[in-house]
Amino acid sequence: MNTPVLFTINAGSSSIKFAIYEVAAHLQELARGQISAIGGHSHLTVHLRGALDTHQEIDTPDHSSALDAILAACAPLLEGHIIAGVGHRVVHGGTAYTTPVVITDQVLDALAQYQPLAPLHQPHNLAGIRAARHAFPDAVQVACFDTAFHRGHPWVNDTFALPREYYNRGVRRYGFHGLSYEYLSGALKREAPELHAGRVIIAHLGNGASMCAVKNGISVGSTMGFSALDGLPMGTRCGQIDPGVLLYLIQEEGMDAEALSDLLFKQSGLKGLSGISNDLRVLEASAEPAAKQAIDYFVFRIRRELGAMTPVLGGLDGLVFSGGIGENSARIRREVCAGLDWLGISLDQDANNNNARDIGTGAVRVMVIPTDEERVIARATREALEGHAPSGKQ
Ligand code: AMP
Protein backbone atom coordinates (compact mmCIF):
# COMPACT_ATOMS: atom_id res chain seq x y z
CA MET A 1 0.00 0.00 0.00
CA ASN A 2 1.21 3.49 -0.78
CA THR A 3 1.62 5.46 2.41
CA PRO A 4 1.32 9.23 2.15
CA VAL A 5 4.29 11.55 2.49
CA LEU A 6 4.55 15.26 2.14
CA PHE A 7 7.20 17.55 0.81
CA THR A 8 8.16 21.00 1.97
CA ILE A 9 9.80 23.34 -0.49
CA ASN A 10 11.62 26.58 0.23
CA ALA A 11 12.66 27.95 -3.15
CA GLY A 12 15.15 30.81 -3.31
CA SER A 13 16.75 32.56 -6.26
CA SER A 14 19.26 29.80 -6.90
CA SER A 15 18.45 27.17 -4.31
CA ILE A 16 15.68 24.86 -3.15
CA LYS A 17 15.63 23.58 0.44
CA PHE A 18 13.33 20.64 0.97
CA ALA A 19 12.18 18.14 3.54
CA ILE A 20 10.10 14.97 3.29
CA TYR A 21 7.80 13.76 6.05
CA GLU A 22 5.80 10.61 6.59
CA VAL A 23 2.26 11.46 7.59
CA ALA A 24 1.88 9.21 10.62
CA ALA A 25 0.44 10.03 14.03
CA HIS A 26 3.35 12.42 14.27
CA LEU A 27 5.14 13.95 11.33
CA GLN A 28 8.22 11.77 10.84
CA GLU A 29 11.00 13.48 8.97
CA LEU A 30 12.42 11.08 6.37
CA ALA A 31 14.88 13.38 4.66
CA ARG A 32 15.93 16.94 4.17
CA GLY A 33 18.36 18.63 1.86
CA GLN A 34 19.21 21.42 -0.43
CA ILE A 35 20.16 22.04 -4.03
CA SER A 36 22.22 25.16 -4.66
CA ALA A 37 23.48 27.07 -7.72
CA ILE A 38 20.34 26.35 -9.77
CA GLY A 39 20.79 27.78 -13.24
CA GLY A 40 24.21 26.26 -13.66
CA HIS A 41 26.38 23.58 -12.14
CA SER A 42 24.36 22.68 -9.05
CA HIS A 43 25.23 20.93 -5.84
CA LEU A 44 22.65 18.65 -4.24
CA THR A 45 22.94 17.49 -0.64
CA VAL A 46 20.46 14.98 0.75
CA HIS A 47 20.37 13.92 4.37
CA LEU A 48 18.34 10.72 4.66
CA ARG A 49 17.19 9.65 8.10
CA GLY A 50 19.61 7.15 9.57
CA ALA A 51 22.10 7.47 6.70
CA LEU A 52 25.11 9.52 5.73
CA ASP A 53 24.61 12.68 3.70
CA THR A 54 24.88 12.21 -0.05
CA HIS A 55 26.34 14.83 -2.33
CA GLN A 56 25.87 15.16 -6.05
CA GLU A 57 27.00 17.61 -8.73
CA ILE A 58 24.43 18.10 -11.45
CA ASP A 59 23.48 20.69 -14.10
CA THR A 60 20.06 22.22 -13.49
CA PRO A 61 18.94 25.01 -15.84
CA ASP A 62 15.86 25.93 -13.78
CA HIS A 63 13.76 25.18 -10.69
CA SER A 64 11.83 22.46 -12.49
CA SER A 65 14.94 20.48 -13.35
CA ALA A 66 16.28 21.07 -9.84
CA LEU A 67 13.13 19.53 -8.41
CA ASP A 68 13.50 16.60 -10.81
CA ALA A 69 17.05 16.10 -9.49
CA ILE A 70 15.78 16.10 -5.89
CA LEU A 71 13.08 13.58 -6.76
CA ALA A 72 15.57 11.33 -8.55
CA ALA A 73 17.92 11.43 -5.55
CA CYS A 74 15.07 10.61 -3.17
CA ALA A 75 13.46 7.96 -5.41
CA PRO A 76 14.55 4.96 -3.30
CA LEU A 77 13.13 6.63 -0.24
CA LEU A 78 9.86 7.43 -1.96
CA GLU A 79 9.23 3.84 -3.08
CA GLY A 80 5.95 2.62 -1.61
CA HIS A 81 4.91 6.17 -0.81
CA ILE A 82 2.62 8.63 -2.49
CA ILE A 83 3.35 12.35 -2.38
CA ALA A 84 0.04 13.59 -1.05
CA GLY A 85 0.90 17.14 -0.16
CA VAL A 86 3.46 19.81 -0.91
CA GLY A 87 3.94 22.81 1.35
CA HIS A 88 5.71 25.93 0.13
CA ARG A 89 7.41 28.76 1.93
CA VAL A 90 6.19 32.01 0.40
CA VAL A 91 7.80 35.17 1.63
CA HIS A 92 4.90 37.55 1.06
CA GLY A 93 1.22 37.07 1.70
CA GLY A 94 0.43 40.80 1.58
CA THR A 95 -2.36 42.00 3.85
CA ALA A 96 -4.74 39.33 2.62
CA TYR A 97 -3.18 36.05 3.69
CA THR A 98 -3.07 35.67 7.43
CA THR A 99 -3.01 31.85 7.42
CA PRO A 100 -1.71 29.15 5.06
CA VAL A 101 -3.80 28.61 1.95
CA VAL A 102 -4.39 25.77 -0.50
CA ILE A 103 -2.94 26.87 -3.82
CA THR A 104 -5.28 27.25 -6.76
CA ASP A 105 -4.81 29.12 -10.04
CA GLN A 106 -6.50 32.16 -8.47
CA VAL A 107 -4.26 32.04 -5.40
CA LEU A 108 -1.19 31.80 -7.61
CA ASP A 109 -2.35 34.86 -9.56
CA ALA A 110 -2.92 36.76 -6.31
CA LEU A 111 0.53 35.84 -5.00
CA ALA A 112 2.11 36.96 -8.27
CA GLN A 113 0.67 40.42 -7.58
CA TYR A 114 2.90 40.64 -4.51
CA GLN A 115 6.07 40.21 -6.53
CA PRO A 116 6.87 43.96 -6.49
CA LEU A 117 6.73 43.82 -2.66
CA ALA A 118 9.45 41.15 -2.49
CA PRO A 119 11.17 41.13 -5.89
CA LEU A 120 14.19 39.16 -4.69
CA HIS A 121 12.20 36.31 -3.14
CA GLN A 122 8.59 36.05 -4.29
CA PRO A 123 9.27 35.23 -7.98
CA HIS A 124 11.50 32.32 -6.92
CA ASN A 125 8.97 31.05 -4.38
CA LEU A 126 6.39 31.04 -7.17
CA ALA A 127 8.79 29.29 -9.55
CA GLY A 128 9.06 26.54 -6.92
CA ILE A 129 5.27 26.30 -6.73
CA ARG A 130 4.91 26.05 -10.50
CA ALA A 131 7.59 23.37 -10.68
CA ALA A 132 5.92 21.38 -7.89
CA ARG A 133 2.44 21.67 -9.42
CA HIS A 134 3.92 20.32 -12.63
CA ALA A 135 5.75 17.48 -10.84
CA PHE A 136 2.89 16.53 -8.47
CA PRO A 137 -0.35 17.46 -10.24
CA ASP A 138 -2.46 15.36 -7.84
CA ALA A 139 -0.96 16.59 -4.58
CA VAL A 140 -2.55 19.22 -2.36
CA GLN A 141 -0.27 22.26 -2.50
CA VAL A 142 -0.22 24.74 0.34
CA ALA A 143 1.40 28.17 0.61
CA CYS A 144 2.73 29.25 4.03
CA PHE A 145 3.66 32.89 4.49
CA ASP A 146 6.55 34.57 6.26
CA THR A 147 4.40 37.64 6.80
CA ALA A 148 1.36 35.86 8.30
CA PHE A 149 2.62 35.61 11.91
CA HIS A 150 2.86 39.40 12.08
CA ARG A 151 -0.50 40.30 10.62
CA GLY A 152 -1.91 40.94 14.08
CA HIS A 153 0.59 43.75 14.67
CA PRO A 154 -0.91 46.75 16.37
CA TRP A 155 -1.39 49.62 13.92
CA VAL A 156 1.47 51.68 15.38
CA ASN A 157 3.86 48.90 14.46
CA ASP A 158 2.23 48.35 11.11
CA THR A 159 2.55 51.83 9.68
CA PHE A 160 5.15 54.36 8.62
CA ALA A 161 4.57 58.07 9.23
CA LEU A 162 3.80 58.69 5.57
CA PRO A 163 0.51 60.17 4.31
CA ARG A 164 -2.23 57.62 5.01
CA GLU A 165 -2.84 56.83 1.36
CA TYR A 166 0.47 54.94 1.29
CA TYR A 167 -0.64 52.67 4.13
CA ASN A 168 -3.86 52.03 2.27
CA ARG A 169 -1.84 51.15 -0.82
CA GLY A 170 0.06 48.50 1.12
CA VAL A 171 3.15 50.42 2.23
CA ARG A 172 3.25 48.78 5.68
CA ARG A 173 5.55 47.06 8.10
CA TYR A 174 4.85 43.45 7.19
CA GLY A 175 7.61 41.75 9.16
CA PHE A 176 9.22 38.50 7.98
CA HIS A 177 10.72 35.24 9.34
CA GLY A 178 7.17 34.49 10.48
CA LEU A 179 7.47 30.72 9.95
CA SER A 180 10.47 30.63 12.25
CA TYR A 181 8.69 32.72 14.89
CA GLU A 182 5.64 30.49 14.65
CA TYR A 183 7.78 27.41 15.24
CA LEU A 184 9.61 28.98 18.18
CA SER A 185 6.43 30.32 19.72
CA GLY A 186 4.94 26.81 19.45
CA ALA A 187 8.05 25.34 21.07
CA LEU A 188 7.62 27.76 23.97
CA LYS A 189 3.97 26.80 24.30
CA ARG A 190 4.97 23.16 24.75
CA GLU A 191 8.01 23.49 26.97
CA ALA A 192 7.72 26.87 28.67
CA PRO A 193 4.00 27.74 28.69
CA GLU A 194 4.53 30.55 31.20
CA LEU A 195 6.82 32.25 28.69
CA HIS A 196 4.43 31.66 25.83
CA ALA A 197 1.74 33.37 27.88
CA GLY A 198 4.16 36.16 28.76
CA ARG A 199 6.44 38.75 27.15
CA VAL A 200 9.22 37.35 25.00
CA ILE A 201 11.73 38.69 22.52
CA ILE A 202 12.83 36.18 19.91
CA ALA A 203 16.05 36.87 18.02
CA HIS A 204 16.25 34.93 14.76
CA LEU A 205 19.90 35.51 13.93
CA GLY A 206 21.07 33.87 10.73
CA ASN A 207 22.31 35.11 7.40
CA GLY A 208 18.99 36.94 7.46
CA ALA A 209 18.35 38.35 10.93
CA SER A 210 15.41 39.88 12.72
CA MET A 211 13.81 40.13 16.14
CA CYS A 212 10.21 39.77 17.14
CA ALA A 213 8.39 40.92 20.26
CA VAL A 214 5.81 38.25 21.15
CA LYS A 215 3.14 38.73 23.79
CA ASN A 216 0.87 35.85 24.67
CA GLY A 217 1.96 34.08 21.48
CA ILE A 218 1.15 37.07 19.25
CA SER A 219 3.66 39.24 17.39
CA VAL A 220 3.39 42.83 18.60
CA GLY A 221 6.55 44.15 16.98
CA SER A 222 9.26 43.14 14.56
CA THR A 223 12.48 44.67 13.34
CA MET A 224 11.81 43.88 9.70
CA GLY A 225 9.37 46.16 7.99
CA PHE A 226 8.13 46.70 4.46
CA SER A 227 10.98 44.61 3.13
CA ALA A 228 13.40 42.12 4.59
CA LEU A 229 16.01 44.91 4.69
CA ASP A 230 15.02 46.78 7.83
CA GLY A 231 16.14 46.28 11.42
CA LEU A 232 19.30 44.34 12.19
CA PRO A 233 22.30 44.27 9.88
CA MET A 234 22.52 40.84 8.21
CA GLY A 235 25.03 38.80 6.26
CA THR A 236 24.82 41.13 3.26
CA ARG A 237 21.82 43.38 4.05
CA CYS A 238 22.19 46.79 5.65
CA GLY A 239 19.40 46.72 8.24
CA GLN A 240 18.12 50.04 9.60
CA ILE A 241 19.28 53.00 7.55
CA ASP A 242 18.39 56.70 7.48
CA PRO A 243 16.28 57.18 4.31
CA GLY A 244 18.25 60.39 3.81
CA VAL A 245 21.22 58.21 2.86
CA LEU A 246 19.20 56.77 0.00
CA LEU A 247 18.22 60.23 -1.23
CA TYR A 248 21.86 61.26 -1.10
CA LEU A 249 22.99 58.20 -3.05
CA ILE A 250 20.36 58.85 -5.71
CA GLN A 251 20.82 62.60 -5.99
CA GLU A 252 24.55 62.99 -5.45
CA GLU A 253 25.99 59.67 -6.54
CA GLY A 254 23.56 59.02 -9.37
CA MET A 255 22.54 55.56 -8.17
CA ASP A 256 19.50 54.00 -9.78
CA ALA A 257 17.12 51.48 -8.23
CA GLU A 258 19.09 48.50 -9.43
CA ALA A 259 22.39 49.77 -8.04
CA LEU A 260 20.75 50.69 -4.73
CA SER A 261 19.10 47.31 -4.46
CA ASP A 262 22.43 45.57 -5.06
CA LEU A 263 24.15 47.78 -2.45
CA LEU A 264 21.50 47.35 0.25
CA PHE A 265 20.69 43.66 -0.25
CA LYS A 266 23.98 42.18 -1.37
CA GLN A 267 26.99 44.36 -0.51
CA SER A 268 26.18 45.62 2.97
CA GLY A 269 25.76 44.13 6.46
CA LEU A 270 28.57 42.02 7.90
CA LYS A 271 30.09 41.62 4.45
CA GLY A 272 30.14 45.32 3.67
CA LEU A 273 31.31 46.42 7.10
CA SER A 274 34.07 43.85 7.41
CA GLY A 275 35.14 43.79 3.78
CA ILE A 276 35.89 40.12 4.52
CA SER A 277 32.82 37.91 4.65
CA ASN A 278 29.10 37.68 5.33
CA ASP A 279 29.79 34.52 7.35
CA LEU A 280 29.98 35.12 11.09
CA ARG A 281 32.23 32.09 11.63
CA VAL A 282 34.83 33.64 9.34
CA LEU A 283 34.58 36.99 11.14
CA GLU A 284 34.83 35.39 14.57
CA ALA A 285 38.01 33.62 13.48
CA SER A 286 39.55 36.75 11.94
CA ALA A 287 42.09 38.96 13.69
CA GLU A 288 41.27 41.90 11.39
CA PRO A 289 39.96 44.97 13.27
CA ALA A 290 37.22 45.41 10.62
CA ALA A 291 35.89 41.91 11.42
CA LYS A 292 35.54 42.85 15.08
CA GLN A 293 33.90 46.16 14.15
CA ALA A 294 31.32 44.37 12.01
CA ILE A 295 30.51 42.04 14.93
CA ASP A 296 30.38 45.01 17.31
CA TYR A 297 27.85 46.77 15.08
CA PHE A 298 25.72 43.60 14.82
CA VAL A 299 25.68 43.24 18.62
CA PHE A 300 25.02 46.97 19.12
CA ARG A 301 21.93 46.87 16.91
CA ILE A 302 20.58 43.72 18.58
CA ARG A 303 20.95 45.40 21.98
CA ARG A 304 19.22 48.56 20.76
CA GLU A 305 16.27 46.55 19.49
CA LEU A 306 16.16 44.60 22.74
CA GLY A 307 15.89 47.88 24.59
CA ALA A 308 13.28 49.24 22.16
CA MET A 309 11.08 46.15 22.28
CA THR A 310 10.99 45.73 26.05
CA PRO A 311 8.64 48.68 26.70
CA VAL A 312 6.54 47.65 23.69
CA LEU A 313 5.98 44.37 25.56
CA GLY A 314 5.52 46.12 28.92
CA GLY A 315 8.46 44.19 30.41
CA LEU A 316 10.37 41.05 29.61
CA ASP A 317 9.97 37.44 30.73
CA GLY A 318 12.06 35.64 28.14
CA LEU A 319 14.70 36.02 25.46
CA VAL A 320 15.12 33.33 22.82
CA PHE A 321 18.09 32.98 20.48
CA SER A 322 17.69 31.06 17.23
CA GLY A 323 19.00 30.84 13.65
CA GLY A 324 22.50 29.73 12.64
CA ILE A 325 24.14 32.49 14.69
CA GLY A 326 21.70 32.52 17.61
CA GLU A 327 21.93 28.74 17.99
CA ASN A 328 25.71 28.45 17.63
CA SER A 329 27.57 31.61 18.52
CA ALA A 330 28.28 31.76 22.25
CA ARG A 331 30.18 34.98 21.62
CA ILE A 332 27.24 36.84 20.10
CA ARG A 333 24.90 35.70 22.89
CA ARG A 334 27.46 36.67 25.52
CA GLU A 335 28.04 40.11 24.03
CA VAL A 336 24.32 40.76 23.51
CA CYS A 337 23.57 39.92 27.14
CA ALA A 338 26.62 41.61 28.70
CA GLY A 339 25.81 44.12 31.44
CA LEU A 340 22.04 43.61 31.23
CA ASP A 341 21.58 42.34 34.80
CA TRP A 342 19.49 45.47 35.48
CA LEU A 343 17.03 44.13 32.88
CA GLY A 344 17.01 40.69 34.52
CA ILE A 345 19.27 39.18 31.86
CA SER A 346 22.40 37.37 32.99
CA LEU A 347 24.06 34.28 31.59
CA ASP A 348 25.42 31.03 32.95
CA GLN A 349 28.64 31.19 30.91
CA ASP A 350 29.20 27.41 30.91
CA ALA A 351 25.67 26.77 29.67
CA ASN A 352 26.13 29.49 27.07
CA ASN A 353 29.43 28.04 25.87
CA ASN A 354 27.74 24.64 25.50
CA ASN A 355 24.77 26.01 23.50
CA ALA A 356 22.52 24.63 26.26
CA ARG A 357 18.74 25.08 26.00
CA ASP A 358 18.55 27.32 29.10
CA ILE A 359 21.44 29.72 29.48
CA GLY A 360 20.09 32.43 31.80
CA THR A 361 20.41 32.85 35.55
CA GLY A 362 18.40 36.05 36.03
CA ALA A 363 14.70 36.87 36.22
CA VAL A 364 14.45 36.77 32.42
CA ARG A 365 14.64 33.21 31.11
CA VAL A 366 17.19 33.07 28.28
CA MET A 367 16.88 30.13 25.89
CA VAL A 368 18.55 28.75 22.78
CA ILE A 369 16.01 26.98 20.58
CA PRO A 370 16.87 25.65 17.10
CA THR A 371 14.25 26.75 14.62
CA ASP A 372 12.50 24.47 12.12
CA GLU A 373 10.57 26.36 9.48
CA GLU A 374 10.07 23.18 7.44
CA ARG A 375 8.09 21.58 10.25
CA VAL A 376 5.71 24.55 10.41
CA ILE A 377 5.08 24.20 6.68
CA ALA A 378 4.66 20.43 7.05
CA ARG A 379 2.08 20.85 9.82
CA ALA A 380 0.02 23.28 7.75
CA THR A 381 0.18 20.90 4.78
CA ARG A 382 -0.92 17.97 6.91
CA GLU A 383 -3.88 20.00 8.15
CA ALA A 384 -4.87 20.64 4.55
CA LEU A 385 -4.57 16.91 3.81
CA GLU A 386 -6.72 16.05 6.77
CA GLY A 387 -9.46 18.19 5.35
CA HIS A 388 -8.92 21.18 7.59
CA ALA A 389 -8.20 23.12 4.45
CA PRO A 390 -6.40 26.29 5.40
CA SER A 391 -8.66 29.08 4.33
CA GLY A 392 -6.33 32.00 3.73
CA LYS A 393 -8.41 34.98 2.92
CA GLN A 394 -8.20 36.99 -0.26
P1 AMP B 1 21.42 30.57 8.82
O1 AMP B 1 21.11 31.60 7.78
O2 AMP B 1 20.37 30.49 9.90
O3 AMP B 1 21.79 29.23 8.26
O4 AMP B 1 22.74 31.08 9.59
C1 AMP B 1 23.95 31.30 8.92
C2 AMP B 1 24.90 32.07 9.84
O5 AMP B 1 25.13 31.31 11.03
C3 AMP B 1 26.27 32.33 9.21
O6 AMP B 1 26.68 33.68 9.47
C4 AMP B 1 27.17 31.38 9.96
O7 AMP B 1 28.48 31.86 10.06
C5 AMP B 1 26.52 31.36 11.33
N1 AMP B 1 26.96 30.20 12.08
C6 AMP B 1 26.68 28.89 11.83
N2 AMP B 1 27.34 28.09 12.72
C7 AMP B 1 28.06 28.92 13.53
C8 AMP B 1 28.95 28.73 14.62
N3 AMP B 1 29.24 27.50 15.07
N4 AMP B 1 29.50 29.81 15.21
C9 AMP B 1 29.22 31.05 14.76
N5 AMP B 1 28.38 31.31 13.73
C10 AMP B 1 27.81 30.27 13.12
Side-chain angles (χ1 to χ4, degrees):
M1 200 185 79
N2 285 337
T3 51
V5 293
L6 53 87
F7 249 80
T8 63
I9 291 181
N10 177 356
S13 57
S14 61
S15 70
I16 296 178
K17 289 186 190 147
F18 68 94
I20 306 172
Y21 296 85
E22 200 165 60
V23 192
H26 298 287
L27 284 170
Q28 289 263 16
E29 186 178 309
L30 301 179
R32 68 169 61 204
Q34 172 165 13
I35 185 161
S36 54
I38 298 173
H41 196 57
S42 310
H43 184 82
L44 171 64
T45 305
V46 182
H47 174 73
L48 296 181
R49 193 178 61 184
L52 289 176
D53 289 3
T54 59
H55 301 274
Q56 206 180 328
E57 305 293 326
I58 186 165
D59 287 327
T60 59
D62 53 24
H63 283 73
S64 220
S65 53
L67 194 55
D68 288 344
I70 292 171
L71 286 176
C74 296
L77 177 81
L78 293 172
E79 240 170 67
H81 292 293
I82 178 166
I83 296 166
V86 186
H88 299 268
R89 180 180 187 176
V90 177
V91 72
H92 221 299
T95 53
Y97 292 104
T98 56
T99 56
V101 64
V102 172
I103 298 167
T104 59
D105 288 344
Q106 289 93 319
V107 167
L108 205 47
D109 288 346
L111 297 182
Q113 285 172 19
Y114 298 136
Q115 295 195 97
L117 295 178
L120 297 186
H121 295 98
Q122 194 87 343
H124 309 298
N125 299 158
L126 301 189
I129 292 178
R130 290 193 190 95
R133 289 183 98 201
H134 181 72
F136 317 112
D138 299 324
V140 173
Q141 312 248 351
V142 177
C144 301
F145 303 100
D146 262 320
T147 46
F149 187 72
H150 305 290
R151 282 298 77 226
H153 268 170
W155 180 80
V156 285
N157 195 83
D158 205 36
T159 192
F160 299 102
L162 292 170
R164 285 199 87 104
E165 69 209 67
Y166 290 92
Y167 181 81
N168 297 337
R169 290 193 334 230
V171 182
R172 301 183 185 195
R173 301 184 57 85
Y174 291 98
F176 297 90
H177 284 145
L179 298 172
S180 175
Y181 292 126
E182 190 175 331
Y183 176 83
L184 295 165
S185 178
L188 287 181
K189 193 172 187 177
R190 285 189 301 280
E191 65 184 87
E194 71 293 350
L195 280 197
H196 181 264
R199 303 157 296 180
V200 183
I201 293 174
I202 305 179
H204 175 110
L205 308 177
N207 201 32
S210 71
M211 291 162 72
C212 183
V214 188
K215 196 171 188 175
N216 201 11
I218 293 169
S219 166
V220 294
S222 66
T223 59
M224 278 182 173
F226 177 71
S227 72
L229 274 178
D230 203 4
L232 305 178
M234 309 176 212
T236 61
R237 287 174 248 168
C238 60
Q240 188 276 333
I241 191 167
D242 176 349
V245 173
L246 311 185
L247 291 175
Y248 171 83
L249 293 175
I250 294 166
Q251 287 165 345
E252 302 301 325
E253 301 215 351
M255 273 196 173
D256 61 10
E258 199 179 331
L260 261 186
S261 171
D262 184 64
L263 176 74
L264 303 178
F265 276 99
K266 296 187 178 155
Q267 310 301 339
S268 300
L270 296 176
K271 177 182 168 188
L273 275 176
S274 69
I276 299 171
S277 175
N278 65 307
D279 190 317
L280 186 79
R281 268 171 301 199
V282 175
L283 300 185
E284 286 190 349
S286 168
E288 290 293 324
K292 179 177 175 332
Q293 282 186 326
I295 294 175
D296 286 349
Y297 182 75
F298 185 55
V299 169
F300 169 72
R301 297 294 332 179
I302 296 169
R303 286 164 63 88
R304 267 186 74 144
E305 296 293 349
L306 196 65
M309 283 178 160
T310 300
V312 169
L313 286 165
L316 193 61
D317 302 307
L319 171 63
V320 176
F321 287 97
S322 194
I325 295 172
E327 292 162 28
N328 296 299
S329 174
R331 172 175 171 181
I332 293 293
R333 294 190 303 258
R334 185 176 66 245
E335 293 188 9
V336 165
C337 296
L340 293 185
D341 310 67
W342 56 273
L343 189 58
I345 295 177
S346 43
L347 291 191
D348 173 333
Q349 297 301 342
D350 283 343
N352 184 45
N353 290 336
N354 291 325
N355 297 330
R357 194 81 158 181
D358 263 296
I359 59 173
T361 56
V364 172
R365 189 166 174 189
V366 185
M367 300 183 76
V368 178
I369 308 182
T371 195
D372 191 347
E373 289 147 318
E374 278 69 28
R375 189 161 285 273
V376 172
I377 300 170
R379 285 181 189 145
T381 309
R382 182 179 60 181
E383 282 190 15
L385 280 176
E386 288 171 349
H388 314 296
S391 58
K393 285 171 261 147
Q394 231 294 280

